[in-house]
């Protein structure tokens, strides 16, 4: 769930840097260009057994404490986020993967400003998502162990030259350590690896995670 939370917040905040809101009504008011459409989608959501909340600065709908759907609006479109949309049949081909190849569970049902909403079809997706959650259909994440972490050469060399960096790195959780290691290892060019190492060095020393800035909505 933590991995999904980071993905959801990152994708939302990347397109929509809004002030914090305290209610769904306020969120919709802040997106006046799509207010009618957002209200229509909201009515579909609250007509079901889903519970409405504000989470990560956006309307979120859950059942039995599990997040199922998010409601969102951005500069050029508005959407429904299906937290475990990968399990939906999507026979009408309405879902997109916001980050192809990276996002595993999350799927988005995206609408443009002039899109005519097929409320019956949308509600069928919502009900299927609810049923899938009741059945426990969700991608399980495994806890990262230190044995799963491969420290790249560039970071090992940095440890030799900066004892404080090594001490701070050892204090991080295994999941945060792995994020930093992957961040460097995934770079193809040596120059990019070094640039990334320079960027993350102060973050590690401050005991911050690579994605911490997306966790404080």
């Amino acid at each position: 769930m933590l991995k999904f939370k980071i993905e959801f917040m990152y994708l939302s905040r990347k397109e929509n840097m809004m002030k914090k809101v305290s209610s769904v009504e306020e969120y919709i008011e802040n997106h006046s260009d799509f207010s009618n459409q957002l209200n229509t989608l909201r009515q579909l959501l609250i007509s079901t057994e889903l519970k409405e909340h504000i989470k990560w600065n956006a309307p979120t709908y859950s059942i039995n404490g599990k997040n199922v759907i998010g409601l969102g609006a951005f500069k050029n479109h508005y959407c429904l986020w299906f937290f475990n949309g990968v399990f939906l049949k999507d026979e009408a081909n309405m879902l997109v993967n916001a980050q192809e190849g990276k996002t595993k569970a999350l799927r988005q049902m995206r609408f443009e400003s002039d899109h005519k909403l097929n409320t019956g079809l949308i509600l069928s997706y919502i009900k299927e998502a609810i049923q899938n959650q009741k059945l426990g259909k969700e991608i399980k994440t495994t806890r990262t162990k230190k044995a799963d972490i491969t420290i790249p050469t560039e970071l090992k060399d940095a440890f030799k030259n900066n004892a404080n960096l090594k001490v701070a790195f050892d204090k991080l959780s295994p999941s945060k350590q792995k994020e930093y290691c992957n961040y460097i290892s995934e770079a193809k060019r040596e120059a990019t690896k070094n640039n990334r190492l320079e960027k993350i060095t102060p973050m590690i020393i401050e005991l911050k995670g690579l994605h911490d800035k997306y966790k404080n909505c």
Side-chain angles (χ1 to χ4, degrees):
M1 179 56 73
L2 177 59
K3 179 177 176 59
F4 167 77
K5 177 181 175 182
I6 293 171
E7 289 174 348
F8 179 74
M9 290 188 293
Y10 172 74
L11 294 170
S12 297
R13 289 171 62 116
K14 184 178 180 181
E15 299 184 61
N16 181 24
M17 299 302 291
M18 298 292 295
K19 65 179 182 180
K20 288 187 177 181
V21 297
S22 58
S23 68
V24 176
E25 289 82 4
E26 183 182 357
Y27 183 90
I28 293 175
E29 287 176 4
N30 286 343
H31 299 87
S32 56
D33 289 347
F34 302 126
S35 59
N36 290 335
Q37 297 94 325
L38 291 172
N39 274 312
T40 296
L41 293 176
R42 182 194 185 194
Q43 291 305 312
L44 290 177
L45 291 161
I46 63 177
S47 72
T48 69
E49 56 197 297
L50 292 171
K51 303 298 182 183
E52 185 177 68
H53 317 270
I54 288 290
K55 289 186 177 181
W56 312 308
N57 209 35
T60 307
Y61 299 82
S62 65
I63 186 169
N64 299 327
K66 296 286 189 176
N67 299 316
V68 181
I69 300 172
L71 178 64
F74 305 100
K75 183 177 180 180
N76 298 313
H77 71 276
Y78 59 101
C79 67
L80 291 176
W81 296 97
F82 290 86
F83 280 39
N84 283 288
V86 66
F87 296 108
L88 294 171
K89 297 184 182 72
D90 193 23
E91 294 175 349
N93 196 29
M94 296 184 67
L95 303 178
V96 297
N97 187 333
Q99 280 196 313
E100 196 67 43
K102 293 185 178 181
T103 303
K104 295 182 179 180
L106 187 67
R107 294 295 182 271
Q108 187 186 83
M109 184 181 286
R110 181 177 298 185
F111 308 100
E112 307 298 334
S113 59
D114 59 349
H115 195 109
K116 184 176 181 180
L117 297 177
N118 184 335
T119 55
L121 180 60
I122 296 170
L123 184 59
S124 70
Y125 274 72
I126 293 172
K127 290 182 176 179
E128 183 186 351
I130 293 172
Q131 184 61 26
N132 283 348
Q133 185 59 61
K134 288 181 176 180
L135 295 173
K137 291 184 178 182
E138 57 184 47
I139 292 180
K140 306 293 184 181
T141 57
T142 56
R143 186 177 296 276
T144 302
K145 300 178 181 178
K146 287 187 179 293
D148 299 328
I149 301 169
T150 301
I151 299 177
T153 302
E154 294 78 10
L155 189 54
K156 287 181 179 179
D157 290 341
F159 289 159
K160 296 176 183 178
N161 298 321
N162 188 337
N164 290 333
L165 179 63
K166 178 65 167 63
V167 171
F169 184 83
D170 289 340
K171 291 181 180 179
L172 295 174
S173 66
S175 61
K176 289 183 177 181
Q177 290 179 356
K178 188 172 184 178
E179 286 172 356
Y180 279 125
C181 291
N182 289 345
Y183 183 63
I184 296 174
S185 298
E186 288 169 358
K188 295 181 180 180
R189 298 174 61 247
E190 195 63 32
T192 304
K193 291 178 186 287
N194 291 330
N195 288 338
R196 291 187 176 186
L197 177 61
E198 182 177 355
K199 173 185 174 181
I200 66 175
T201 293
M203 297 170 65
I204 294 174
I205 291 176
E206 294 174 10
L207 300 180
K208 294 179 179 179
L210 182 62
H211 302 294
D212 279 1
K213 64 181 179 179
Y214 300 119
K215 299 178 185 179
N216 298 314
C217 291

